[in-house]
Amino acid sequence: QVQLVESGGGLVQAGDSLRLSCAASARTFSLYTMGWFRQAPGKEREFVAAIPWSGGSTYYADSVKGRFTISRDNAKNTVYLQMNSLKPEDTAVYYCAAHKFLSGDYETPKLYTYWGQGTQVTVSS
């Protein structure tokens, strides 16, 4: 069982930045593909970004490409989401997710086994 704990959410103004963190309890954290998803009120959960266990490329939703950066520190069992130039439409609960050895279809929520409890990000205009 892997526990994921997000932190770093908050209330900011449009144009500001936030960095979300997700700490994982997995002993073999480096073998997990990590993803960030978000869910706004009345909307379905949507993919934001993913970083594969195997390293190499990172993946982003078109809506955040160029503004958000996902990264991981395997020594700290932590994945980060740096969010710059925030917009009101980025307002949502942000969740991190994990799945061991996931090697494709990173944008599909049902492929991730473990989920955090979420952290609220609110961007005011």
Side-chain angles (χ1 to χ4, degrees):
Q1 191 75 9
V2 176
Q3 291 186 327
L4 303 174
V5 180
E6 302 100 334
S7 61
L11 172 62
V12 298
Q13 292 186 333
D16 285 350
S17 298
L18 275 178
R19 189 177 80 155
L20 305 183
S21 300
C22 173
S25 65
R27 290 196 302 170
T28 55
F29 176 75
S30 63
L31 301 182
Y32 285 80
T33 287
M34 302 300 296
W36 283 99
F37 292 78
R38 66 187 182 186
Q39 188 165 18
K43 294 188 176 182
E44 293 188 354
R45 192 167 296 191
E46 66 173 1
F47 170 74
V48 175
I51 186 164
W53 67 276
S54 54
S57 297
T58 51
Y59 300 84
Y60 298 93
D62 288 343
S63 59
V64 307
K65 205 171 291 184
R67 298 188 298 123
F68 290 12
T69 302
I70 188 171
S71 61
R72 66 191 299 160
D73 185 338
N74 289 336
K76 295 183 177 180
N77 279 20
T78 301
V79 63
Y80 304 98
L81 186 68
Q82 177 66 43
M83 305 186 295
N84 298 330
S85 302
L86 282 162
K87 304 175 181 180
E89 51 263 45
D90 294 319
T91 295
V93 177
Y94 284 71
Y95 299 90
C96 73
H99 189 84
K100 200 169 188 179
F101 295 132
L102 182 62
S103 297
D105 293 325
Y106 303 115
E107 72 280 5
T108 304
K110 66 180 181 181
L111 295 182
Y112 291 80
T113 304
Y114 303 104
W115 291 82
Q117 82 290 349
T119 186
Q120 176 70 46
V121 172
T122 302
V123 185
S124 63
S125 57

